[in-house]
Amino acid sequence: MDVSLVWHPSPNFGRRRDGATPDLVVLHYTGMETCKAARDRLCDPQSEVSAHYLISETGTCWYLVEEDMRAWHAGAGQWGDVTDVNSRSIGIELANTGSHPFPEPQMCALEDLLADLLQRRAIRPERVIAHSDMAPGRKQDPGPRFDWRRLARQGLSIWPSEPGAKDCPGKSESFDGLSRRFGYGTDQEPEARLAAFRARFRPWASGPLDQGDLARIADLAHRFPFDASRSST
């Protein structure tokens, strides 16, 4: 792996439940003013919060929890039929307040880390998700400033095809059904799912649901439906 890791162990972890192994990667932003403050919180036993990795704005990658252990980063939520996301995922925190762009050194370090993780753990690009994907309405990270399309170009995530005039879904396909087929949880409000979807795939969009939303979620749902045969709670 090209990115160099700095071991800084957090006490906030446990064993993955029911023999689970990670087949998801969840990306977060820290929402704190400095990387040091975020690292201190992720390693504070009283916070009961952690992640496997923390990447600073300058590209330093702190390794906080062993990958085989269950870090406490995801909280309540769902992706596909996975409801214990912590047991099935690797969590990566990016030092960012949520209101500024992600610097180039940080993105390069993330790309190196993801390339290694996906190859070594046999994780599919569609299984790299946002915290907001699994917890719409409750979480917003890594937010609309994060460049998902850049990751997709390198095979480290996915991106919908740009819709053409013939790409609109049929009348029988609703955003609700398509978003659930893609992986958004069954107990999440449609409005929250739309906001999470747009934050990741259409950060420039606003207003009511439109054909651009429908065409993109249809493309994603048809090409990358969550794989129930590999999922469990």
Side-chain angles (χ1 to χ4, degrees):
M1 182 167 60
D2 292 334
V3 63
S4 59
L5 303 178
V6 179
W7 177 238
H8 194 281
S10 169
N12 302 336
F13 66 89
R15 294 193 176 278
R16 295 184 183 273
R17 295 170 180 165
D18 301 321
T21 57
D23 67 346
L24 284 165
V25 177
V26 182
L27 301 187
H28 309 254
Y29 62 53
T30 59
M32 302 184 72
E33 289 299 323
T34 68
C35 183
K36 182 182 183 302
R39 188 189 66 194
D40 289 348
R41 182 170 187 269
L42 292 167
C43 295
D44 180 356
Q46 294 188 346
S47 74
E48 298 186 345
V49 175
S50 63
H52 295 91
Y53 297 98
L54 167 65
I55 304 178
S56 76
E57 299 92 335
T58 60
T60 300
C61 188
W62 305 93
Y63 187 20
L64 308 179
V65 174
E66 294 278 2
E67 288 179 11
D68 289 337
M69 296 291 108
R70 182 180 184 272
W72 305 336
H73 61 97
Q78 181 178 1
W79 187 251
D81 57 1
V82 177
T83 55
D84 181 2
V85 176
N86 279 337
S87 285
R88 292 282 296 277
S89 66
I90 291 172
I92 301 175
E93 291 273 2
L94 301 169
N96 188 288
T97 63
S99 61
H100 64 269
F102 294 81
E104 183 66 16
Q106 185 178 55
M107 290 298 295
C108 288
L110 173 63
E111 288 160 355
D112 288 342
L113 178 59
L114 281 175
D116 176 71
L117 283 174
L118 269 59
Q119 189 278 328
R120 183 162 44 81
R121 292 280 181 179
I123 297 174
R124 303 191 302 270
E126 62 266 31
R127 305 287 284 177
V128 179
I129 65 172
H131 197 190
S132 56
D133 287 330
M134 54 145 294
R138 186 175 70 85
K139 293 295 181 180
Q140 293 78 44
D141 51 318
R145 287 183 173 270
F146 185 77
D147 193 348
W148 285 98
R149 193 169 193 171
R150 170 174 169 159
L151 294 188
R153 289 192 187 105
Q154 301 177 64
L156 302 175
S157 187
I158 57 172
W159 190 257
S161 298
E162 292 300 316
K166 298 181 181 180
D167 295 330
C168 293
K171 292 182 180 179
S172 63
E173 294 187 286
S174 66
F175 182 86
D176 183 65
L178 289 164
S179 63
R180 292 177 189 228
R181 180 176 177 183
F182 178 51
Y184 290 102
T186 57
D187 62 347
Q188 297 157 352
E189 292 298 322
E191 294 81 5
R193 274 182 270 145
L194 176 60
F197 167 79
R198 282 181 167 176
R200 180 170 170 186
F201 296 113
R202 295 190 79 197
W204 60 89
S206 61
L209 177 76
D210 62 30
Q211 288 299 317
D213 299 311
L214 285 169
R216 288 171 174 84
I217 193 63
D219 175 69
L220 292 168
H222 292 156
R223 286 195 293 143
F224 306 109
F226 77 87
D227 185 355
S229 68
R230 293 184 58 185
S231 300
S232 65
T233 57

